[in-house]
Amino acid sequence: MQFDDDANLDTSEVKDVRGSRVPGGRATVGGGLVGLIALVLGLIFGVGPEQLGLSDGSPEPAATASSAAQVQQTCRTGQDANTREDCRLVAVVNSTQDYWRQEFQKRGGAYRPASTVFFAGRVNTACGAATKAVGPFYCPGDRQVYLDLGFFDELRTTFGASGGPFAQAYVVAHEYGHHVQNLTGTLQRAQDGRQGANSNAVKVELQADCYAGVWAHNATRTPDESTGRPLISSLTDQDIRDGLDAAAAVGDDRIQEKFQGRVTPESWTHGSAEQRQQWFYQGYRTGDMAQCDTFR
């Protein structure tokens, strides 16, 4: 994955609170065993911790940026995105939102942008307090995506994904798929409390995978406002393979087999490895969000 060196990155779309002191001190989501249970249940790449039952429901103030914030100072151009992981993720956020902004406009709608919050260890959100054990998530309450960048190491070491820049981009694009679902009214269909291979929860997650593929299909042809050229100048076949590998690594069946030694489809929340690959590739192959109807 290569970015246009001369493009200007829009760091206003990212809030970097790594190193901030998170006020409140009442988080109920912990690491260790609690984190492992969360991972076993496949509660990653989903919505906020309150919906997952991982918060005490108490209102918490949001984390505030500190002098430790880095991206506003260091992530200026596409060249920075080609050399730094955090800047690369800023660029992916920019590219993803460029695409959905233009896609909504084509369809006669208005896209409302969502910020991505980089945090380290723990963060407070409108959906409750969370730690990195929850994994990347989208909070519909404040319309923000939350990422602890350390998760990408776990994606390789814990889940066995091959990794790579585009595996990270897939994660970000999946979360923005949830934002699109929130804007279109689809996300709430997952909130019926049901699990299982045919549940709405799984269908919502697979659709977000498909939307990630739709973005990938269009990423190298979506013009950036600052230059009129695509922010992402090239994606290779290996990039797409890395994305497909990441999608498979976080399939419910793979996670259950790894952590509990058996597969129980009745408790699925995100779909199988094969389904996640299938729907990501469906989006990538067609480039059309209309082809992402996982509810049919």
Side-chain angles (χ1 to χ4, degrees), residues 66 159 173 182 215 239:
S66 74
F159 297 98
N182 194 29
W215 161 76
D239 289 326

Side-chain angles (χ1 to χ4, degrees), residues 142-282:
D142 56 25
R143 291 193 173 100
Q144 294 190 129
V145 171
Y146 290 86
L147 292 174
D148 184 315
L149 274 59
F151 171 79
F152 297 121
D153 290 330
E154 294 182 6
L155 188 60
R156 290 184 297 102
T157 60
T158 302
F159 297 98
S162 59
F166 192 79
Q168 299 177 358
Y170 155 73
V171 173
V172 174
H174 174 100
E175 296 307 333
Y176 274 93
H178 285 313
H179 179 56
V180 170
Q181 291 171 324
N182 194 29
L183 295 179
T184 58
T186 306
L187 186 61
Q188 63 188 17
R189 298 178 72 168
Q191 306 306 307
D192 59 9
R194 298 178 181 175
Q195 296 179 342
N198 295 315
S199 66
N200 282 344
V202 167
K203 292 174 182 178
V204 162
E205 295 298 334
L206 295 178
Q207 186 177 66
D209 282 334
C210 189
Y211 285 166
V214 169
W215 161 76
H217 174 97
N218 293 284
T220 58
R221 65 195 76 183
T222 299
D224 178 68
E225 291 182 0
S226 68
T227 64
R229 301 186 302 271
L231 177 54
I232 297 179
S233 55
S234 68
L235 287 176
T236 66
D237 290 343
Q238 183 59 52
D239 289 326
I240 301 306
R241 284 194 292 269
D242 287 342
L244 287 166
D245 182 73
V250 292
D252 282 326
D253 53 341
R254 292 272 188 95
I255 293 173
Q256 289 177 340
E257 182 67 35
K258 183 177 183 66
F259 290 103
Q260 64 186 34
R262 66 187 187 281
V263 176
T264 54
E266 65 273 13
S267 64
W268 285 3
T269 57
H270 287 64
S272 69
E274 181 180 2
Q275 287 175 313
R276 300 199 73 167
Q277 286 188 317
Q278 172 193 338
W279 282 103
F280 172 79
Y281 192 72
Q282 167 83 352

